[in-house]
């Protein structure tokens, strides 16, 4: 049984139990939708971040983790076309983590992002954990009643869009696996070009934003171009400190622009698969329109990464993948908060079939994004 079979089974189990007419959307979407009195619906989501699976404590300051813990849940609220309002966060941590400055740094990052969107932290829980740190992030928001944008309402002929760029977070993860590390002021260690574990350390005091800082590679010092350092840092931050498309979510929901929506957390191929399955439709993507993260394109030649594969299957970009009825396409804003949306394909009536066209060639796009309890890409 995989993660998604388990969730489907849970969903079936809830169908034979007590029902409430106030639960408008239960298990299966990015967030749950609950009707309120008046003309609003509540939208609420929870996300678990587990040390060793979703993050490593030694790769970056805890402030970035605090930011990410909130961002992943803000992204699910945005994927419902909702406005985030409040949050809860629960943390389990081993005694030695409690004793250092982890919690202070975590909340510095968490509050900075919460303040940006006026989200109010209104509760949570703290517990001692035995080995690993675990974080549960909950965010609540609201929409006008009946306006939540679901995964299940795309129709054949709808046009498919995605915000921002794809593949950056997955490239960042590869760079971290190759040894890249972030400190409070920037990169402290660079990815090794080949073997794991032979990362290069940025020399103490060297300024990334200066010109060609010197880094140590093994025993010999090596020059690295500032532009490459900036690219590496940007990609590592795409993984460790993602932006949630909060503004886009609100616009797409309030202006009734999106007919269906999901956020790209597992990877485009997998998340488009979830949307299509739940809407009982298929999709045809245009390969040349997939917005590959600009930094990924810059780095790929030098680091043997496949940019299109990263953009199609890489997870954690937290962009919004949405569909638009053909008549509404001209109403879409060009940018929201400086971020564009790209028109990448069309919904088809071939249920569950996702295809991608490259020139005259068309092939099936298998979901190869992230899945818990299975091998990832
Ligand atoms: P996302 O990636 O958008 O956060 P998930 O893949 O984590 O979504 O979850 C998909 C759906 O399954 C969501 O609607 C979520 O609420 C539901 N779900 C996941 N785990 C559980 C669980 N343990 N109990 C009930 N519902 C769950
Ligand atoms: Mg989601």
């Amino acid at each position: 049984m995989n993660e998604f079979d388990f969730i489907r089974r849970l969903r079936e189990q809830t169908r034979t139990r007590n029902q409430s007419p106030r639960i408008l959307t239960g298990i299966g979407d990015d967030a749950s939708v609950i009707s309120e009195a008046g003309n609003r619906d509540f939208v609420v989501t929870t996300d678990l971040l587990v040390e060793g699976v979703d993050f490593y404590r030694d790769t970056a300051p805890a402030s970035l983790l605090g930011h990410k813990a909130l961002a992943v849940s803000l992204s699910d609220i945005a994927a419902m076309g909702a406005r985030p309002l409040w949050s809860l966060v629960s943390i389990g941590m081993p005694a030695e983590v409690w004793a250092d400055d982890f919690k202070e740094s975590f909340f510095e990052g968490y509050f900075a992002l919460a303040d940006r969107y006026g989200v109010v932290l209104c509760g949570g829980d703290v517990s001692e954990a035995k080995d690993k740190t675990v974080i549960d992030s909950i965010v609540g928001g609201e929409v006008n009643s009946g306006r939540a944008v679901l995964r299940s309402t795309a129709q054949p002929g709808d046009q498919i869009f995605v915000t921002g760029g794809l593949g950056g977070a997955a490239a960042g993860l590869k760079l971290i696996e190759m040894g890249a590390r972030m400190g409070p002021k920037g990169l402290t260690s660079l990815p090794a070009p080949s073997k794991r574990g032979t990362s290069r350390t940025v020399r103490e005091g060297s300024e990334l934003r200066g010109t060609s800082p010197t880094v140590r590679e093994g025993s010999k010092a090596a020059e690295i171009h500032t532009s490459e350092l900036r690219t590496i840092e940007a990609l590592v931050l795409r993984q460790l400190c993602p932006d949630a498309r909060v503004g886009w979510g609100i616009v797409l929901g309030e202006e009734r622009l999106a007919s269906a929506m999901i956020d790209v957390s597992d990877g485009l191929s997998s998340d488009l698969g979830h949307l299509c399955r739940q809407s009982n439709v298929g999709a045809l993507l245009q390969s040349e329109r997939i917005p590959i993260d600009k930094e990924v394109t810059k780095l790929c030649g030098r680091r043997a990464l496949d940019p299109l594969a990263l953009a199609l299957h890489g997870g954690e970009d937290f962009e919004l993948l949405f569909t638009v009825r053909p008549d509404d396409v001209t109403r879409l804003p060009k940018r929201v908060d400086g971020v564009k949306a790209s028109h990448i394909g069309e919904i088809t009536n071939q249920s569950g079939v996702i295809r991608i066209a490259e020139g005259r060639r068309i092939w099936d796009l298998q979901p190869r994004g992230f899945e818990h309890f299975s091998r990832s890409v």
Side-chain angles (χ1 to χ4, degrees), residues 113-125:
L113 183 59
D115 293 349
R116 193 195 305 171
Y117 294 116
V119 169
V120 181
L121 176 68
C122 62
D125 199 8

Side-chain angles (χ1 to χ4, degrees), residues 11-31:
R11 195 173 171 181
E12 291 312 313
Q13 287 172 328
T14 60
R15 289 208 170 123
T16 58
R17 290 178 152 72
N18 276 342
Q19 301 295 316
S20 163
R22 292 189 56 195
I23 309 293
L24 304 178
T25 304
I27 294 175
D29 218 301
D30 291 285

Side-chain angles (χ1 to χ4, degrees), residues 3-4 13 34 38 82 128 149 259 320 323 355:
E3 178 193 351
F4 304 114
Q13 287 172 328
I34 303 159
E128 183 174 345
V149 184
S259 55
L320 294 177
T323 60
R355 314 195 83 199

Side-chain angles (χ1 to χ4, degrees), residues 5 9 43 50 77 85 90 92 96 99 103 122 126 140 192 246 264 274 288 301 317 337 346 352 364:
D5 297 330
R9 193 177 71 176
V43 179
V50 178
I77 295 294
L85 295 174
S90 300
E96 69 269 19
K103 50 193 181 308
C122 62
V126 181
V246 174
V264 183
H274 298 319
E288 79 280 4
D317 284 315
D337 297 334
E346 182 172 320
D364 284 338

Side-chain angles (χ1 to χ4, degrees), residues 3-4 6-7 10 26-30 47 76 151 263 265:
E3 178 193 351
F4 304 114
F6 170 68
I7 291 171
L10 272 177
I27 294 175
D29 218 301
D30 291 285
D47 286 279
D76 279 328
R151 295 176 177 181
D263 67 332
S265 55

